[in-house]
């Protein structure tokens, strides 16, 4: 004999109805639970998600606004009708990880952006939420405007593996044939039509580019190229060396991945 564990003498149809109601209740509970977890992760500072207002800049040309955080996010973004004069981010114990003027901000603020929100600039500065860092943010305004700066993170690096995507500036002297290596990206806002860029790839392939070639290739990874933007995207790591022969002195804006190490200062090259 088989024992009937159902309540009463329900018909098969009633049994199915009871099971369906149980599943509905379980589904409702799961949705609520998942929603609470998402809210907790999104709004709490637990390193899973960060999407907060860092602060609003004080209005006025050449006016500097400073913020401090005890963490470094993965991204920061702002909207400014007139590009900011400069942004500098310093991680105490590690050094300057981001230092750019308006030209660099225009180029790096649209790197890999597929659809730019009007006057919006978006920057990646690390490989995820890095806690326990004393970070100093310095923004130099450029006009009678009050841009709001937001920070966000969508991941947390593994223990012992945080990385900064450092932005630095390097002078290119006229006719010097300057070499650049270990790049995530490199931008040439002042590249002239007659300047030459020689590229060596990791498999030994060599290619000579001008600024139109660079602009055209950039269209493979981002939509914003017509400002114009002369940036070489090396996030994939295929470029080994970039050699630039310029007819006039200019500045290159370089991004590179560096380890976040409190016992080793990161050198920042700044050339005006």
């Amino acid at each position: 004999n088989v024992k009937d564990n159902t309540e009463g003498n329900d018909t098969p149809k009633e049994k199915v109805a009871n099971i369906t109601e149980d599943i509905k209740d379980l589904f409702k509970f799961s949705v609520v639970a998942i929603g609470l977890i998402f809210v907790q992760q999104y709004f709490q500072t637990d390193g899973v998600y960060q999407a907060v207002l860092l602060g609003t800049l004080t209005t006025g040309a050449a006016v500097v606004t400073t913020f401090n955080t005890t963490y470094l996010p993965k991204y920061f973004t702002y909207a400014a009708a007139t590009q900011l004069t400069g942004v500098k981010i310093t991680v105490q114990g590690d050094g300057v990880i981001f230092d750019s003027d308006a030209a660099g901000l225009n180029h790096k603020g649209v790197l890999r952006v597929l659809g730019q929100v009007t006057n919006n600039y978006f920057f990646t500065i690390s490989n995820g939420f890095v806690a326990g860092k004393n970070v100093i943010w310095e923004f130099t305004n450029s006009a009678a405007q009050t841009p709001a700066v937001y920070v966000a993170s969508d991941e947390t690096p593994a223990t012992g593996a945080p990385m900064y995507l450092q932005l630095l500036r390097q002078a290119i002297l006229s006719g010097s044939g300057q070499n650049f290596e270990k790049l995530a990206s490199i931008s040439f806002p002042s590249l002239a039509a007659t300047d030459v860029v020689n590229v060596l790839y990791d498999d030994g392939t060599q290619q000579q580019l001008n600024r139109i070639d660079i602009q055209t290739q950039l269209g493979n990874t981002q939509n914003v190229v017509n400002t114009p933007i002369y940036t070489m995207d090396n996030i994939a790591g295929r470029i080994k060396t970039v050699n630039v022969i310029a007819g006039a002195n200019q500045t290159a804006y370089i991004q590179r991945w560096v380890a976040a190490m409190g016992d080793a200062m990161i050198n920042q090259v700044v050339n005006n």
Side-chain angles (χ1 to χ4, degrees):
N1 296 325
V2 178
K3 185 178 179 180
D4 187 355
N5 290 320
T6 61
E7 297 181 1
N9 296 314
D10 294 342
T11 65
K13 183 177 181 180
E14 289 171 334
K15 291 177 182 179
V16 171
N18 291 333
I19 294 173
T20 301
E21 289 302 317
D22 290 340
I23 292 174
K24 285 181 179 179
D25 290 339
L26 180 60
F27 177 77
K28 290 177 182 177
F29 174 80
S30 299
V31 169
V32 172
I34 292 171
L36 289 174
I37 292 171
F38 175 79
V39 169
Q40 181 185 30
Q41 290 181 334
Y42 192 86
F43 289 102
Q44 286 190 341
T45 57
D46 59 4
V48 179
Y49 290 97
Q50 286 289 317
V52 298
L53 173 67
L54 178 65
T56 301
L57 305 191
T58 303
T59 188
V63 175
V64 178
T65 303
T66 302
F67 305 111
N68 291 83
T69 58
T70 55
Y71 62 88
L72 185 76
K74 184 177 180 179
Y75 312 110
F76 77 92
T77 183
Y78 60 82
T82 303
Q83 182 59 272
L84 304 182
T85 301
V87 177
K88 184 176 182 180
I89 304 172
T90 304
V91 179
Q92 291 189 335
D94 285 356
V96 176
I97 65 163
F98 190 103
D99 191 0
S100 182
D101 56 16
L105 296 173
N106 280 331
H107 275 59
K108 299 306 186 185
V110 295
L111 183 67
R112 294 214 160 190
V113 171
L114 299 180
Q116 185 184 22
V117 178
T118 303
N119 298 327
N120 193 81
Y121 299 92
F122 187 90
F123 303 88
T124 300
I125 53 176
S126 73
N127 64 339
F129 180 86
V130 183
K133 295 291 184 180
N134 187 16
V135 184
I136 302 171
W137 307 71
E138 300 171 78
F139 295 86
T140 305
N141 210 339
S142 56
Q145 58 183 1
T146 55
V149 182
Y150 293 87
V151 297
S153 301
D154 57 11
E155 61 182 319
T156 300
T159 302
M163 300 285 289
Y164 302 137
L165 185 55
Q166 185 190 29
L167 172 60
L168 55 84
R169 290 177 277 172
Q170 175 65 54
I172 300 176
L173 301 180
S174 174
S176 64
Q178 180 75 41
N179 283 331
F180 299 95
E181 298 181 340
K182 299 178 181 179
L183 308 168
S185 76
I186 185 167
S187 301
F188 310 103
S190 301
L191 199 67
T194 55
D195 292 343
V196 175
V197 179
N198 297 298
V199 184
L200 173 64
Y201 294 92
D202 58 358
D203 64 354
T205 302
Q206 299 184 54
Q207 190 174 34
Q208 187 174 93
L209 307 174
N210 59 30
R211 67 183 189 182
I212 301 302
D213 298 324
I214 292 172
Q215 186 180 13
T216 301
Q217 289 186 6
L218 187 61
N220 293 322
T221 55
Q222 69 186 54
N223 187 49
V224 186
V225 298
N226 291 324
T227 309
I229 301 295
Y230 304 128
T231 294
M232 301 183 70
D233 184 330
N234 192 36
I235 300 299
R238 291 211 52 234
I239 296 175
K240 183 177 181 180
T241 305
V242 174
N243 174 272
V244 184
I245 303 175
N249 294 348
Q250 56 187 273
T251 301
Y253 296 80
I254 305 163
Q255 285 180 303
R256 63 177 185 177
W257 288 104
V258 293
M261 299 175 60
D263 59 351
M265 293 292 287
I266 301 170
N267 291 325
Q268 169 71 19
V269 180
V270 179
N271 296 278
N272 296 318

